[in-house]
C-alpha cells in the first residue's frame, strides 16, 4: 500500500471513529449517569460498587485482563490491560473514581446522586470531576480493544479510588506495585478544558502553624502575651514567600505565555501570573477562648503552591528561616510534593494537541494546571503525562454538572490521541 493510499485509509478510519463516538452519545451519557449514581465521596472513598460497575462494562472484551488492586478497604482500584497487534509502547489511561463530599444536600436542586439531565446538562456529584471523564476513558479502552490489529504496544486503564486525598492508596500505590501503571506515557481525563490540555502542575506544601501566649484578662493586656498577635506576625512572614524570585525554565515560561490568550478566558484572569509564582493561602485560623481574654493559643494552616523553577527544599529552607527562631511559634509541614512538568516536545503532547485540533478546530494550546491531579505522580516517576478533560461547572459545590456535548468531544480527543500515539509516535 503506497503512502497516499495509507493516508486515505487513515483519514477514513478517523472519520468513522469520530462518527461512531457521536452515535454512542447516549451510551456515554448512560454510563456517566450510572457512575454518578454510585456515591464515592471522600471520605470514605468507598469505590467497591464503582469498580464492580466498570469491571462489568469490560467483561465482554476478548483477551482483556481486568484486576482489582486494593491497598486498604474500601478504597479499590481497577486495572485493565489489552495488547495490540505486536509489541510496542505502553500507554496508560488514568482517572479517579472518588469525588468531593456532597456537602449540604439540601442546597442541591435535586438529589446529588440522581444524575438528572436538564437542558443538555448532566447534574450530580462527580459528573465533571470526574465520572464523565471516566466514561470517556472506558469508551476509548473498549474501542481500541476491539480494533487491536490497527495499533501496536499495550493499552492500560488504571482507575484509582483515592485521588481527592492525594492518591496514596490510589495511583501512587498502583505505580509502586503494578507494572501496568508504569507506561511510556499517560493520558488523564480529569477536569479542565479540552481547549487547553494541561502538561504540568505546581508543587505544594501544607503547613500547620501554632502560637503560644500567656493568658490574661482582656482589660489587662499588659499582663499577658497575645497568641493571635504572635501568630499574625508568623503569617505575615509566610506571606512574604510570594515575593521570592522564581526563575522558571524557559520552556515553561514560553508555554504559559503562549497559552494565556486561550487559557485565561477559561481559567480566569490572572491565571498566568499564578502559574509562574509562589502563592500562599491561609485556609483555616483559630485561637483564644473569649473576646475579653488575652488568648494563650492560636493556630493556622496554609497551602503554599510552588511553580516550576523552585523546589520544595528551597521553600522549606525559607520557611525555617521565617519561623524557626520566632518565640512562641511551632510549625509542622504535613504534606509536600514537587512541581512537575512534561515537555511540549513529548510525543504524547503532540498526539493530544493534534487530536484537539481535529475535534475542536483552531490551534489548541498546552499549559500548566493550577490545581493538582494524579498526573503529578506519573510525572514524578518520569512518565510523560497530559490531562485533558471536561470543563467543570460548580466544581465541589451544589449542582455540579457537565455539558453533555463535551462528553463527545473529550471522548473523540482521547480516542484519536491514544490511537495516534500507539500507531505513529
Amino acid at each position: 500500500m503506497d503512502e497516499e493510499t495509507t493516508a486515505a485509509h487513515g483519514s477514513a478510519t478517523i472519520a468513522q471513529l469520530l462518527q461512531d463516538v457521536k452515535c454512542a452519545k447516549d451510551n456515554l451519557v448512560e454510563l456517566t449517569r450510572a457512575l454518578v449514581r454510585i456515591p464515592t465521596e471522600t471520605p470514605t472513598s468507598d469505590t467497591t460498587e464503582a469498580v464492580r460497575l466498570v469491571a462489568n462494562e469490560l467483561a465482554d472484551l476478548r483477551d482483556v485482563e481486568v484486576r482489582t488492586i486494593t491497598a486498604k478497604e474500601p478504597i479499590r482500584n481497577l486495572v485493565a490491560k489489552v495488547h495490540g497487534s505486536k509489541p510496542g509502547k505502553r500507554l496508560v489511561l488514568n482517572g479517579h473514581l472518588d469525588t468531593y463530599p456532597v456537602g449540604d444536600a439540601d442546597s442541591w436542586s435535586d438529589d446529588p446522586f440522581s444524575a438528572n439531565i436538564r437542558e443538555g446538562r448532566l447534574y450530580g456529584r462527580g459528573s465533571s470531576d470526574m465520572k464523565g471523564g471516566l466514561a470517556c476513558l472506558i469508551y476509548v479502552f473498549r474501542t481500541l480493544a476491539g480494533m487491536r490489529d490497527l495499533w501496536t504496544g499495550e493499552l492500560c486503564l488504571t482507575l484509582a479510588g483515592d485521588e481527592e486525598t492525594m492518591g496514596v492508596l490510589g495511583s501512587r500505590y498502583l505505580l509502586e506495585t503494578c507494572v501496568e501503571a508504569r507506561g511510556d506515557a499517560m493520558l488523564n481525563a480529569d477536569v479542565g478544558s479540552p481547549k487547553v490540555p494541561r502538561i504540568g502542575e505546581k508543587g505544594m506544601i501544607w503547613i500547620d502553624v501554632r502560637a503560644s501566649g500567656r493568658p490574661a484578662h482582656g482589660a489587662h493586656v499588659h499582663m499577658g502575651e497575645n497568641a493571635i498577635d504572635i501568630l499574625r506576625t508568623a503569617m505575615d512572614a509566610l506571606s512574604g514567600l510570594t515575593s521570592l524570585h522564581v526563575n522558571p525554565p524557559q520552556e515553561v515560561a514560553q508555554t504559559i505565555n503562549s497559552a494565556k490568550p486561550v487559557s485565561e478566558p477559561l481559567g480566569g484572569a490572572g491565571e498566568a501570573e499564578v502559574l509562574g509564582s509562589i502563592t500562599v493561602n491561609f485556609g483555616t485560623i483559630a485561637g483564644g477562648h473569649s473576646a475579653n481574654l488575652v488568648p494563650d493559643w492560636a493556630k493556622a494552616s496554609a497551602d503554599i503552591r510552588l511553580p516550576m523553577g523552585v523546589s520544595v527544599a528551597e521553600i522549606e529552607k525559607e520557611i525555617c528561616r521565617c519561623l524557626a527562631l520566632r518565640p512562641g511559634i511551632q510549625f509542622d509541614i504535613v504534606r509536600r510534593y514537587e512541581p512537575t512538568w512534561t515537555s511540549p516536545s513529548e510525543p504524547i503532547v503532540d498526539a493530544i494537541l493534534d487530536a484537539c485540533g481535529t475535534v475542536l478546530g483552531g490551534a489548541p494550546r498546552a499549559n500548566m494546571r493550577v490545581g493538582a491531579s494524579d498526573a503529578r505522580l506519573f510525572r514524578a516517576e518520569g512518565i510523560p503525562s497530559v490531562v485533558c478533560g471536561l470543563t467543570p461547572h460548580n466544581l465541589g459545590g451544589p449542582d455540579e454538572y457537565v455539558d453533555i456535548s463535551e462528553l463527545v468531544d473529550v471522548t473523540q480527543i482521547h480516542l484519536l490521541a491514544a490511537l495516534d500515539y500507539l500507531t505513529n509516535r
Side-chain angles (χ1 to χ4, degrees):
M1 189 180 294
D2 59 34
E3 290 185 7
E4 185 175 341
T5 304
T6 300
H9 176 74
S11 297
T13 300
I14 289 172
Q16 185 60 56
L17 288 173
L18 295 178
Q19 183 59 37
D20 289 347
V21 176
K22 289 181 180 179
C23 293
K25 181 179 75 172
D26 289 346
N27 292 336
L28 286 168
V29 169
E30 288 310 308
L31 179 54
T32 302
R33 297 182 79 188
L35 288 163
V36 169
R37 286 168 177 153
I38 300 174
T40 54
E41 297 168 277
T42 295
T44 58
S45 301
D46 185 346
T47 55
T48 305
E49 291 303 316
V51 163
R52 184 175 292 116
L53 171 64
V54 177
N56 288 339
E57 285 290 320
L58 305 177
D60 64 322
L61 297 177
R62 179 177 55 86
D63 297 329
V64 171
E65 179 185 339
V66 181
R67 293 189 289 152
T68 300
I69 298 175
T70 306
K72 180 181 179 182
E73 294 285 2
I75 303 171
R76 297 190 179 187
N77 309 296
L78 179 139
V79 175
K81 177 176 65 175
V82 62
H83 293 282
S85 59
K86 59 182 180 181
K89 295 171 290 189
R90 177 186 295 137
L91 176 64
V92 177
L93 306 177
N94 175 259
H96 67 87
L97 296 154
D98 60 325
T99 72
Y100 287 118
V102 163
D104 179 10
D106 290 337
S107 63
W108 289 69
S109 300
D110 300 302
D111 184 313
F113 302 110
S114 64
N116 284 343
I117 294 175
R118 297 193 303 275
E119 299 178 345
R121 299 171 175 179
L122 194 163
Y123 287 83
R125 174 55 82 229
S127 53
S128 64
D129 186 16
M130 62 167 286
K131 292 184 175 180
L134 293 180
C136 299
L137 295 181
I138 293 165
Y139 179 94
V140 171
F141 185 86
R142 282 188 58 88
T143 300
L144 292 182
M147 50 187 292
R148 66 190 76 184
D149 57 318
L150 295 185
W151 55 273
T152 62
E154 187 174 291
L155 183 67
C156 296
L157 178 68
T158 62
L159 304 185
D162 173 38
E163 191 266 354
E164 302 295 358
T165 48
M166 301 300 162
V168 174
L169 302 175
S171 287
R172 178 176 291 175
Y173 183 72
L174 293 178
L175 285 164
E176 292 172 349
T177 62
C178 178
V179 66
E180 290 90 345
R182 305 183 70 86
D184 296 288
M186 188 276 280
L187 287 176
N188 184 295
D190 208 346
V191 292
S193 168
K195 295 179 181 179
V196 186
R198 304 291 175 165
I199 59 175
E201 296 173 15
K202 298 177 75 173
M204 187 185 78
I205 296 174
W206 279 3
I207 182 171
D208 290 339
V209 185
R210 300 176 303 282
S212 300
R214 187 171 66 250
H217 193 279
H220 300 266
V221 294
H222 60 290
M223 302 290 290
E225 288 184 87
N226 190 308
I228 292 177
D229 288 342
I230 295 171
L231 179 64
R232 284 194 299 110
T233 64
M235 293 169 65
D236 288 343
L238 285 178
S239 295
L241 296 173
T242 60
S243 64
L244 292 177
H245 176 69
V246 176
N247 187 26
Q250 185 177 11
E251 185 180 52
V252 176
Q254 289 175 342
T255 297
I256 294 172
N257 290 332
S258 175
K260 183 176 178 179
V262 178
S263 189
E264 286 212 350
L266 298 166
E271 179 194 55
E273 181 179 356
V274 167
L275 287 172
S277 60
I278 299 167
T279 60
V280 178
N281 177 70
F282 286 95
T284 67
I285 184 169
H289 305 281
S290 173
N292 64 340
L293 295 176
V294 175
D296 60 349
W297 71 276
K299 63 181 181 180
S301 59
D303 177 314
I304 304 171
R305 300 285 170 140
L306 287 56
M308 292 295 298
V310 66
S311 69
V312 166
E314 290 172 315
I315 298 305
E316 288 190 0
K317 182 178 179 180
E318 287 296 319
I319 290 172
C320 289
R321 184 184 64 79
C322 291
L323 301 184
L325 299 180
R326 286 181 177 270
I329 290 293
Q330 293 181 311
F331 66 93
D332 293 303
I333 293 173
V334 297
R335 186 166 288 169
R336 57 170 71 80
Y337 58 79
E338 301 285 354
T340 61
W341 171 255
T342 292
S343 170
S345 64
E346 286 288 343
I348 193 62
V349 180
D350 283 338
I352 201 78
L353 289 175
D354 286 349
C356 289
T358 298
V359 173
L360 302 176
R365 308 288 179 86
N367 198 7
M368 294 280 292
R369 193 173 195 258
V370 174
S373 77
D374 276 353
R376 78 186 192 284
L377 302 173
F378 288 82
R379 295 191 196 102
E381 296 296 323
I383 300 168
S385 301
V386 181
V387 178
C388 182
L390 299 158
T391 303
H393 299 280
N394 299 330
L395 180 65
D399 293 347
E400 178 184 352
Y401 73 87
V402 63
D403 287 319
I404 289 174
S405 62
E406 271 201 350
L407 282 173
V408 173
D409 292 341
V410 171
T411 302
Q412 290 176 329
I413 288 167
H414 278 270
L415 180 57
L416 294 190
L419 184 60
D420 184 359
Y421 183 80
L422 293 170
T423 55
N424 301 317
R425 304 291 174 174

